[in-house]
Amino acid sequence: MKKVTIALVLLLLLITMGCKKDTAKEREDASNDQMKQEEKSKENQDGLKHTYPFTGLQTTKSIDTRPVGVMINNHAKARPQSGLAQADITFEILAEGNITRFLSIFQSEQPKVVGPVRSAREYYFELAKGYHALYIYHGAAKFVDQMIKDRSIEHLNGAIYDNDKVLFKRESFRKAPHNSYLQYEAVEDTAEKLGYTMKDDLKPLPFLNEEESEHISW
């Protein structure tokens, strides 16, 4: 009986020692993983030398892309829209009656398609000008088009490129005027052909850090 008891005690000791070794190894591995993650994070932070001007997000890439402001339809028949999620800033403003439209400013991301695109309004293009954005819309009243020209607003008017399938495309799954979509990849080439520069050196907007934002009551 004593031999059996001693054997059980020795077995328990061996199991306990093995568990302790496994636990110690797991802690060591976890500590090493954490150190590696911290070192990698520090390396990434050291490489993030550039800041996107409208989001405050940092990147290793040089930033010299001019922003683009697009008039996006917000009529019930135009939803869901395309490209909104890639905008750095989106303003929603009344356009007529109780219907709003969006002015979306794109800079850090360039979606493949944006739209549906609608007509211009004075307060929208003045807002776009304030961000030095190329203003893109589809059609406008004659007096609004004249204002855009008189105020030297650099722009692309979808009415001129209507359904050319390069800069603008009419989609069949919606009815006009809710079916005009900007093909974003063609913006730069089209703008440069008109003599507009698509390079810009923008200073980032002032952003609060985490410590400063904690003291603000929303």
Side-chain angles (χ1 to χ4, degrees):
M1 188 70 179
K2 287 183 179 179
K3 290 182 179 180
V4 173
T5 303
I6 292 170
L8 286 171
V9 171
L10 289 172
L11 181 61
L12 288 170
L13 284 171
L14 288 171
I15 292 171
T16 303
M17 290 175 66
C19 289
K20 286 183 177 178
K21 286 182 180 179
D22 288 343
T23 303
K25 189 175 186 306
E26 287 173 0
R27 288 177 180 171
E28 184 181 353
D29 290 343
S31 177
N32 290 336
D33 288 342
Q34 184 177 354
M35 288 177 63
K36 287 178 182 178
Q37 288 177 1
E38 288 176 354
E39 288 175 1
K40 188 175 181 180
S41 177
K42 187 176 184 302
E43 288 174 2
N44 289 338
Q45 289 296 326
D46 291 342
L48 298 175
K49 298 179 181 179
H50 306 283
T51 302
Y52 286 111
F54 302 140
T55 66
L57 298 177
Q58 294 184 311
T59 179
T60 57
K61 299 178 182 178
S62 179
I63 303 168
D64 62 355
T65 305
R66 182 182 183 180
V68 173
V70 186
M71 289 289 296
I72 300 179
N73 196 344
N74 193 33
H75 191 281
K77 294 181 179 180
R79 302 173 192 155
Q81 296 90 343
S82 299
L84 279 177
Q86 283 74 49
D88 290 349
I89 305 172
T90 293
F91 298 93
E92 181 179 9
I93 309 172
L94 284 170
E96 52 198 27
N98 62 349
I99 299 173
T100 63
R101 284 185 191 163
F102 298 122
L103 174 68
S104 289
I105 308 291
F106 297 91
Q107 202 265 347
S108 65
E109 294 185 65
Q110 290 82 42
K112 186 175 180 179
V113 176
V114 180
V117 181
R118 282 305 307 270
S119 58
R121 297 287 189 278
E122 179 183 6
Y123 41 96
Y124 286 100
F125 68 67
E126 286 293 347
L127 189 56
K129 183 180 180 181
Y131 286 89
H132 196 226
L134 176 71
Y135 183 59
I136 298 182
Y137 62 101
H138 192 136
K142 288 184 179 180
F143 75 93
V144 174
D145 270 330
Q146 192 59 48
M147 291 168 70
I148 289 172
K149 293 175 183 177
D150 292 343
R151 299 183 194 182
S152 300
I153 304 295
E154 295 190 349
H155 66 280
L156 297 177
N157 181 358
I160 297 173
Y161 305 92
D162 190 16
N163 205 29
D164 69 343
K165 297 184 181 180
V166 177
L167 185 64
F168 277 86
K169 182 180 179 183
R170 293 278 185 180
E171 294 290 358
S172 59
F173 61 86
R174 287 206 171 119
K175 293 182 179 180
H178 312 296
N179 65 345
S180 178
Y181 286 80
L182 173 70
Q183 311 303 298
Y184 201 98
E185 293 177 349
V187 169
E188 185 174 349
D189 287 343
T190 306
E192 289 180 346
K193 286 177 182 177
L194 294 174
Y196 302 149
T197 178
M198 292 305 292
K199 301 295 182 183
D200 210 339
D201 183 18
L202 297 169
K203 292 183 179 180
L205 296 174
F207 292 93
L208 298 177
N209 57 38
E210 291 183 7
E211 184 178 345
E212 291 170 329
S213 62
E214 288 177 358
H215 300 290
I216 294 180
S217 298
W218 301 100

